[in-house]
Amino acid sequence: MRFIRNIAFDIRNGIIRHFMLFLLPALITGIASADCVRRINGYLETWGVKKSTVTYGDIWCYLYCGMEKFVPAPGNAFRFPAIWTILFSICSIVVLTYTTNDMLGTGAHVMVAGGSRGKWWFSKVIWNVLSTIMYHGITLIVSLIVCIFSGIRIGNGINVGLQTSLNEIADMNSTFKTVSVITPVIFIMPVIISVAMNLLQQMLTLFISPGYAFICTGVLMMASVYILSPLLPFNYAMALRMSEMYEGGVKHMYGILCAVLIITLSVTVGYIRFLRYDIIKKEDI
Amino acid sequence: MWFVRRLLRIEIGKALKNKAFFISLAIGIACVVLSLIYEVNIYNRDMDMAAETSGMKQSSEAAIYSLFNSWIGGEFLSLGTGVYYFIFPVLCALPYGWSYCVERKSGYVRTMIVQCGKGKYYVAKYIATFMSGGLAMVIPLIASVMMTAAFFPAVKPDVIYDIYTGVFKTTFMSGLYYSVPFLYLFLLLCINFVFCGLLACCSMAAVSVIRQKHVVTLVPFVICLALNMLTSVMYNENNYHNVEYSPFYFLKSCASRVPSSGLVIGIITLVLFVVTFVTVNVWERRHEVY
């Protein structure tokens, strides 16, 4: 069995047959974007600002900005960003169980037919990357559709006043200081980090059950929201934590390096582990 | 009756004496310890600073710190509380939420139904799942109260320090919090127990549409995420978010975003109960298991 057929099998079984899972990002983004447009209209009405100052970048920022640096203080309780968290959590859930289920089901026959464990593993890696890109692609398309239908201009600008209101930003002096546009690197970083974290989660499912692997992802997500640190990868997936937007934020170069390291480590460790993995062992939680 | 009791004992034994239950407790208690370390550090730092500046051994600000705003469900600043109240839906479902899915796939359900009948089996399973979910949530919380009590005095919270307690006039049961805090604590733990028990039952109910055990375990988490998003997109007539719909926040005593409402908590709990009970004990019962 050729490698390309392994990939075709995974696309067919992991994406096409589970297309309902990919309706989730469409639903979430549809609701969140519509809410964003409603709030934008409220802002424009209240402050008498022209609609031409608002662009698609503002809706994108509402979805992917995350939250500014958390400073623990009385009156400033820790709360995670609702939209950002649901987008990334659901993305992790969408790609969580297919590998394990396939390994314990028909995937074992595919592995035997392919004659190689490596082909099976790398095919799952490609499926994971494709699924994650598709997930964020759907988010992008749905938010663009909402943007077009609501008459908001397509562009990468950020209305600083609007974002301060939408995301309840307290520290205006250090946020949006350097740029007020979504640069390509800010735009692409959430997807890169999402790919890296989903591969890490896939690798973890070879050691622990998917439920615990998801807990690990959740803990990393919350730790990243709580602490602004270049060592916590989800920081790079929050636009408001990037050095381009926030003085003292994380640098995208470190983010790319971090993602490459996580991807390399996950794929290599996963491959080595999978070569010795007992695929007939009993399912355990 | 004797048989039902025996069946229930077996199911509860299976639910509470499994590896997943102890792992859930261990993860919960790790979060509790993380929260406690943070709170004790802050307390010691503030007391040292106050002693240095005033020259007194005991600062007047000591009243800010009490058991009721320093345990994991009462404080709102540490990473421990952030993580625990984010992953709790998974921790509730992990011990036994998946059990019905596995038993249905393996055919164990058929054997049990032949022996004891459908009604008894489903009721026993529902109760065991409920207990495991509730206990997985409440045991780390009780541990937190006990551990925090070893470091902080159980002084009655003062309403003038509401910014430190996070319990404001509009917060659910705020009157009780400032008058009989131990009763408040007990009621809050009861709410946590019931809500998380029902969340675990959601996993069981989800088996009627989802047949993958790892996916049904995450159903409570997805429900909580959806309710969390609801808070962000629901507005009152003045265009403000005024009620907390998210279990990530309303199961705590403090209002982290907007105040919680007893009515909203009651309605969500009732809906969860009706949906899970009807799905498990009526829908599933009427369906063929062979």
Side-chain angles (χ1 to χ4, degrees):
Chain A
M1 196 180 188
R2 286 164 66 189
F3 182 54
I4 195 80
R5 287 186 67 187
N6 276 61
I7 298 170
F9 175 86
D10 283 328
I11 290 173
R12 199 167 53 244
N13 284 283
I15 298 177
I16 298 169
R17 279 183 68 181
H18 292 114
F19 74 95
M20 291 290 279
L21 281 175
F22 291 91
L23 294 180
L24 284 172
L27 183 73
I28 296 164
T29 313
I31 296 170
S33 304
D35 178 53
C36 181
V37 169
R38 182 189 182 281
R39 292 177 68 175
I40 287 172
N41 289 335
Y43 174 84
L44 297 179
E45 204 175 290
T46 311
W47 297 98
V49 183
K50 284 182 184 169
K51 200 168 189 176
S52 57
T53 57
V54 180
T55 64
Y56 172 71
D58 288 302
I59 296 180
W60 184 90
C61 206
Y62 182 70
L63 298 172
Y64 281 101
C65 71
M67 67 179 250
E68 61 177 340
K69 185 186 176 184
F70 172 64
V71 182
N76 185 28
F78 175 69
R79 52 202 164 182
F80 53 85
I83 308 296
W84 181 89
T85 309
I86 195 168
L87 275 177
F88 281 85
S89 300
I90 296 293
C91 185
S92 297
I93 290 172
V94 164
V95 297
L96 180 64
T97 56
Y98 173 66
T99 310
T100 312
N101 289 335
D102 189 59
M103 191 163 55
L104 298 165
T106 49
H109 303 292
V110 175
M111 213 181 305
V112 173
S116 160
R117 284 179 173 233
K119 277 183 194 171
W120 187 90
W121 171 250
F122 287 111
S123 165
K124 290 290 172 290
V125 167
I126 291 169
W127 161 80
N128 193 325
V129 173
L130 284 177
S131 298
T132 310
I133 292 172
M134 205 174 129
Y135 180 95
H136 290 286
I138 290 169
T139 306
L140 183 78
I141 291 166
V142 172
S143 55
L144 266 170
I145 290 169
V146 173
C147 180
I148 292 165
F149 273 93
S150 57
I152 291 172
R153 197 161 52 89
I154 307 286
N156 65 342
I158 300 171
N159 185 322
V160 175
L162 172 68
Q163 287 303 324
T164 309
S165 159
L166 285 181
N167 298 304
E168 295 164 12
I169 293 164
D171 193 5
M172 263 290 286
N173 290 328
S174 54
T175 312
F176 302 119
K177 202 163 187 177
T178 38
V179 293
S180 55
V181 289
I182 307 282
T183 57
V185 75
I186 297 176
F187 189 74
I188 208 77
M189 277 313 284
V191 184
I192 295 174
I193 294 299
S194 193
V195 165
M197 296 314 290
N198 285 348
L199 284 173
L200 180 70
Q201 185 180 256
Q202 182 175 314
M203 183 269 283
L204 285 175
T205 58
L206 295 177
F207 292 90
I208 49 180
S209 86
Y212 297 113
F214 181 73
I215 288 179
C216 294
T217 309
V219 170
L220 260 176
M221 202 180 278
M222 279 305 107
S224 303
V225 172
Y226 189 86
I227 306 164
L228 198 166
S229 161
L231 296 173
L232 293 166
F234 276 109
N235 274 301
Y236 300 103
M238 285 185 270
L240 282 181
R241 299 276 176 98
M242 302 294 286
S243 61
E244 282 86 351
M245 280 203 181
Y246 177 73
E247 208 173 56
V250 289
K251 291 185 171 62
H252 68 261
M253 273 314 291
Y254 294 145
I256 293 167
L257 191 70
C258 182
V260 169
L261 270 174
I262 292 171
I263 291 170
T264 313
L265 193 81
S266 304
V267 174
T268 315
V269 173
Y271 176 65
I272 294 165
R273 166 76 178 161
F274 193 65
L275 287 179
R276 293 154 191 234
Y277 196 80
D278 180 7
I279 54 166
I280 309 173
K281 81 173 181 182
K282 207 178 146 204
E283 199 178 1
D284 194 17
I285 189 119
Chain B
M1 198 61 203
W2 169 83
F3 197 81
V4 174
R5 273 212 302 272
R6 193 172 155 213
L7 183 65
L8 198 59
R9 205 167 52 234
I10 292 170
E11 282 296 335
I12 291 174
K14 272 161 64 186
L16 304 184
K17 287 178 191 164
N18 71 58
K19 196 173 74 179
F21 183 72
F22 292 111
I23 294 174
S24 279
L25 289 186
I27 295 170
I29 289 170
C31 293
V32 163
V33 171
L34 199 64
S35 156
L36 184 67
I37 291 170
Y38 176 87
E39 284 295 308
V40 171
N41 277 340
I42 293 283
Y43 176 70
N44 287 339
R45 192 197 66 193
D46 281 10
M47 289 304 106
D48 289 347
M49 265 170 62
E52 261 177 41
T53 48
S54 66
M56 290 186 291
K57 276 186 184 172
Q58 185 70 39
S59 161
S60 58
E61 287 182 359
I64 294 169
Y65 298 96
S66 112
L67 163 67
F68 305 104
N69 69 343
S70 302
W71 71 293
I72 194 165
E75 60 101 356
F76 45 81
L77 295 176
S78 76
L79 177 62
T81 188
V83 169
Y84 186 67
Y85 279 93
F86 181 65
I87 60 171
F88 82 87
V90 190
L91 295 182
C92 294
L94 270 178
Y96 210 56
W98 46 270
S99 156
Y100 175 58
C101 183
V102 171
E103 289 183 3
R104 203 179 148 136
K105 270 171 111 174
S106 67
Y108 180 81
V109 175
R110 296 171 205 164
T111 316
M112 289 306 289
I113 284 172
V114 167
Q115 287 198 13
C116 62
K118 269 187 174 180
K120 287 167 192 164
Y121 171 77
Y122 283 118
V123 168
K125 192 60 134 184
Y126 187 86
I127 294 171
T129 308
F130 178 84
M131 295 280 288
S132 71
L135 288 174
M137 177 71 180
V138 163
I139 290 175
L141 293 182
I142 294 172
S144 171
V145 172
M146 289 165 72
M147 284 194 260
T148 311
F151 294 92
F152 294 89
V155 288
K156 196 192 275 187
D158 197 324
V159 73
I160 61 164
Y161 294 122
D162 63 353
I163 195 167
Y164 295 96
T165 59
V167 181
F168 305 101
K169 191 185 171 186
T170 47
T171 310
F172 177 50
M173 297 198 293
S174 57
L176 205 60
Y177 180 83
Y178 289 108
S179 51
V180 197
F182 273 109
L183 179 62
Y184 173 88
L185 201 61
F186 174 74
L187 289 177
L188 191 69
L189 290 177
C190 289
I191 292 170
N192 274 272
F193 178 79
V194 173
F195 193 85
C196 294
L198 290 173
L199 274 183
C201 291
C202 289
S203 288
M204 193 183 163
V207 177
S208 55
V209 281
I210 305 164
R211 297 289 154 84
Q212 294 173 17
K213 96 174 193 190
H214 299 300
V215 180
V216 296
T217 312
L218 294 171
V219 165
F221 183 77
V222 175
I223 292 171
C224 290
L225 277 180
L227 287 168
N228 187 52
M229 196 177 164
L230 194 67
T231 311
S232 310
V233 296
M234 291 282 273
Y235 302 89
N236 64 5
E237 63 278 7
N238 298 321
N239 229 6
Y240 288 112
H241 306 290
N242 67 336
V243 181
E244 187 61 80
Y245 294 93
S246 169
F248 293 124
Y249 297 104
F250 71 53
L251 290 178
K252 298 170 83 174
S253 69
C254 48
S256 299
R257 291 198 295 191
V258 283
S260 48
S261 145
L263 185 69
V264 169
I265 299 172
I267 290 171
I268 294 174
T269 309
L270 189 70
V271 169
L272 285 183
F273 173 71
V274 171
V275 170
T276 54
F277 193 82
V278 169
T279 310
V280 173
N281 291 291
V282 180
W283 175 268
E284 279 294 294
R285 210 173 135 179
R286 284 187 183 172
H287 272 72
E288 193 59 76
V289 290
Y290 290 96

